[in-house]
Amino acid sequence: MGKAGSINIFLSSEAGALPAAEVAERGRLGVRSRATVLTAAVVVSTSVGAVLRFWGLGAQSFWFDETVTWNLVHRSLGSMLVHGIPSSESTPPLYYVLAWVWVRVVGSGEAGLRSLSALVGTATIPVAYLAARSFAGRRAGLLAALFVAVSPILVWYSQEARSYALLGFLCALSLLFFARLVSRYRTGDLAAWSAVAVLALTTHYFALFLLIVEAAWLWRRLPRRPVLAALTPPAVVCLLLAPLVYVQRGNAGGLAAASSLGARLGQTGEWFATGDLHSTTVWALSGVVAAVALVLLAADRRGRRRGLLPLAIGAATILLPVALAVAGKDYVFFRNLIPAWLPLTVAVAAGLSNPRFRALCAVGAVLLVAAFTYADLAVWLHPSLQRDNYRLLAAKVTASPQSAFVVYPGWDTTALEHYDPKLTPVRDGAIRIRDLTFVGVASNFGAWLPPRQVALAVPGTFHLLGTYRVQHFIVRRYAASSPVRISIQRLARIVHARPGSREPRLDVLAPGARGPARSKN
């Protein structure tokens, strides 16, 4: 019996118990395997995001804001900084300096100028993974990376030659170093946060609201002396930017005047969920998933600790400019609020990482990724959802020596000039014309006539030749039996706003002698 028992014990030990070294080695292999899978998943997410951002990068024409960027980066660097940015922009200069260098390396066509935004937009994906992982663990990090990769608003602005993709990237970096400081204080992370804060502030003024919230937490929780040292460079940058803010103060006023604050906040939610698709179904589905995620976040005690802080940061990043708007300084617009997108998404990802409801979390994550991807593909497949196609418009509206174009709203003239360099604005005096073409954004007039917001008062000497649609534009062509001399002031009165509508400036374009195409040095 003793022998048999000892044999039994020996066999049991041989079959079931492993030496401690082997157990530790297997544990290390398991950790290594999980890390490899996660790394591969982040690489796949980043690759998908890169495809969405770089595919068809030059297919859409520049729209108005991008032609302003194009004009700026074709000045000399000094002229751009001293004259161009203060007079035409409402943002700081860092993006334009980078773009000025960038186009001299890769070119200034649609794809070349936009590729800077596509690159930093792609780089935001792994940064989002690291930030969310620091807050809420690896599963949340992977979900955040997926959401960033297919986010309709982030994909849209990663394909635009403006500062918003760079703003999103730098705010993501700021959130990453902040998250690392939340988990463990390191002087290197604090110095990195300070440096990124400087770069973000010199990219877009709305980065300030995210940085204020982060700085308040750092001030309360970390040693005061190093935090004061870290806050000094961003504070100095704010002081240095103050004169530029004053000069640019009127350059963005039209955005706030275009609609009510409530309508613009609703537009922000719509853009955050659907981009330019404006689908009620996608918006509602995304909202339901986000609400469920926040409920799951509240139900998980550990998740609450990890996810409520980014949720509070995202909410405050929106509420601070809203409070400023209520106080009379209203610059709230959905793309300015991009700094809030990632912290809010990290909170959603943390909620969808609740280990007690894995099946429900998986369904929610799949639905959100599917909704975002559907919005991305819809915009890519349907020209009506894309940017205003001034390249096509310029090809359709041909200019003759005795023609004039009335363009409404007037800011569209810059983009139209870009694609038809023969056209030039005529501000005063009189011109002799036989052909008159009206170009207007269709949303101001309905699909065809009768007009919805404005009416046309064309001189009686001109008769209508036809009306047609070019993507988002209405084009109406008129002709006179013989050339007519007409003042610019008379042409400028062609458009009359309906009561209660806000009429933007219109411009008159006519063929004229020009120097080298688009050079404004």
Side-chain angles (χ1 to χ4, degrees), residues 208-234:
L208 177 65
F209 299 111
L210 174 71
L211 297 171
I212 283 176
V213 181
E214 292 175 343
W217 190 96
L218 295 175
W219 183 257
R220 285 180 58 86
R221 300 299 180 92
L222 299 185
R224 292 289 174 87
R225 185 172 295 178
V227 170
L228 183 61
L231 293 178
T232 300

Side-chain angles (χ1 to χ4, degrees), residues 190-262:
L190 187 59
W193 180 88
S194 178
V196 169
V198 167
L199 295 175
L201 288 170
T202 52
T203 298
H204 199 286
Y205 299 123
F206 266 62
L208 177 65
F209 299 111
L210 174 71
L211 297 171
I212 283 176
V213 181
E214 292 175 343
W217 190 96
L218 295 175
W219 183 257
R220 285 180 58 86
R221 300 299 180 92
L222 299 185
R224 292 289 174 87
R225 185 172 295 178
V227 170
L228 183 61
L231 293 178
T232 300
V236 170
V237 167
C238 288
L239 292 175
L240 293 175
L241 287 174
L244 181 61
V245 173
Y246 179 79
V247 171
Q248 293 176 329
R249 65 192 184 281
N251 291 350
L255 295 178
S259 58
S260 68
L261 178 60

Side-chain angles (χ1 to χ4, degrees), residues 390-458:
Y390 295 95
R391 184 168 53 203
L392 178 62
L393 179 63
K396 295 287 187 181
V397 291
T398 55
S400 66
Q402 291 184 325
S403 63
F405 294 84
V406 175
V407 183
Y408 176 92
W411 54 68
D412 286 325
T413 57
T414 303
L416 190 54
E417 287 178 78
H418 181 87
Y419 288 104
D420 191 348
K422 298 187 301 298
L423 296 176
T424 186
V426 184
R427 305 297 187 194
D428 51 30
I431 54 176
R432 190 173 180 82
I433 60 172
R434 185 170 183 171
D435 301 311
L436 177 62
T437 301
F438 172 82
V439 178
V441 178
S443 59
N444 288 329
F445 297 88
W448 300 101
L449 298 179
R452 193 164 64 211
Q453 292 180 11
V454 298
L456 302 181
V458 178

Side-chain angles (χ1 to χ4, degrees), residues 45-367:
S45 299
T46 305
S47 301
V48 170
V51 170
L52 289 173
R53 286 156 175 80
F54 281 95
W55 185 267
L57 194 57
Q60 298 181 47
S61 76
F62 287 136
W63 76 293
F64 162 69
D65 280 5
E66 291 179 295
T67 58
V68 174
T69 301
W70 195 99
N71 288 332
L72 285 172
V73 299
H74 280 79
R75 290 173 176 257
S76 67
L77 183 60
S79 174
M80 181 184 76
L81 292 173
V82 176
H83 302 293
I85 293 173
S87 63
S88 65
E89 286 299 333
S90 57
T91 54
L94 179 61
Y95 167 78
Y96 304 99
V97 173
L98 295 177
W100 189 92
V101 176
W102 187 261
V103 298
R104 282 153 179 80
V105 177
V106 303
S108 60
E110 287 90 347
L113 185 54
R114 289 169 175 161
S115 59
L116 174 60
S117 293
L119 182 64
V120 296
T122 302
T124 305
I125 299 167
V127 173
Y129 164 75
L130 295 172
R133 187 186 71 174
S134 297
F135 274 117
R138 290 177 175 175
R139 188 180 292 121
L142 179 55
L143 289 177
L146 278 170
F147 298 154
V148 170
V150 296
S151 161
I153 188 172
L154 297 188
V155 170
W156 177 274
Y157 283 106
S158 293
Q159 292 196 319
E160 186 161 298
R162 300 293 287 170
S163 62
Y164 303 106
L166 182 61
L167 170 67
F169 172 68
L170 292 172
C171 287
L173 274 179
S174 169
L175 194 67
L176 167 61
F177 292 117
F178 174 80
R180 289 165 64 99
L181 288 166
V182 168
S183 60
R184 181 181 173 186
Y185 169 63
R186 300 177 184 88
T187 55
D189 288 333
L190 187 59
W193 180 88
S194 178
V196 169
V198 167
L199 295 175
L201 288 170
T202 52
T203 298
H204 199 286
Y205 299 123
F206 266 62
L208 177 65
F209 299 111
L210 174 71
L211 297 171
I212 283 176
V213 181
E214 292 175 343
W217 190 96
L218 295 175
W219 183 257
R220 285 180 58 86
R221 300 299 180 92
L222 299 185
R224 292 289 174 87
R225 185 172 295 178
V227 170
L228 183 61
L231 293 178
T232 300
V236 170
V237 167
C238 288
L239 292 175
L240 293 175
L241 287 174
L244 181 61
V245 173
Y246 179 79
V247 171
Q248 293 176 329
R249 65 192 184 281
N251 291 350
L255 295 178
S259 58
S260 68
L261 178 60
R264 279 177 281 126
L265 289 174
Q267 186 184 32
T268 299
E270 188 177 24
W271 264 89
F272 274 24
T274 73
D276 200 38
L277 179 61
H278 306 303
S279 166
T280 303
T281 302
V282 174
W283 190 10
L285 177 61
S286 302
V288 168
V289 172
V292 169
L294 295 181
V295 170
L296 293 175
L297 178 66
D300 182 8
R301 182 178 300 175
R302 185 165 171 243
R304 281 203 304 271
R305 290 198 302 271
R306 300 182 304 175
L308 286 182
L309 181 56
L311 178 63
I313 291 172
T317 303
I318 293 176
L319 292 175
L320 287 175
V322 168
L324 199 61
V326 172
K329 298 296 182 182
D330 189 356
Y331 298 100
V332 172
F333 201 60
F334 68 90
R335 57 185 179 234
N336 293 339
L337 298 175
I338 282 176
W341 193 94
L342 183 58
L344 293 176
T345 300
V346 170
V348 170
L352 294 177
S353 302
N354 190 324
R356 292 169 53 201
F357 303 94
R358 290 193 176 184
L360 179 60
C361 290
V363 170
V366 169
L367 287 175

Side-chain angles (χ1 to χ4, degrees), residues 25 273 419 520:
E25 180 62 23
Y419 288 104
K520 297 209 174 184

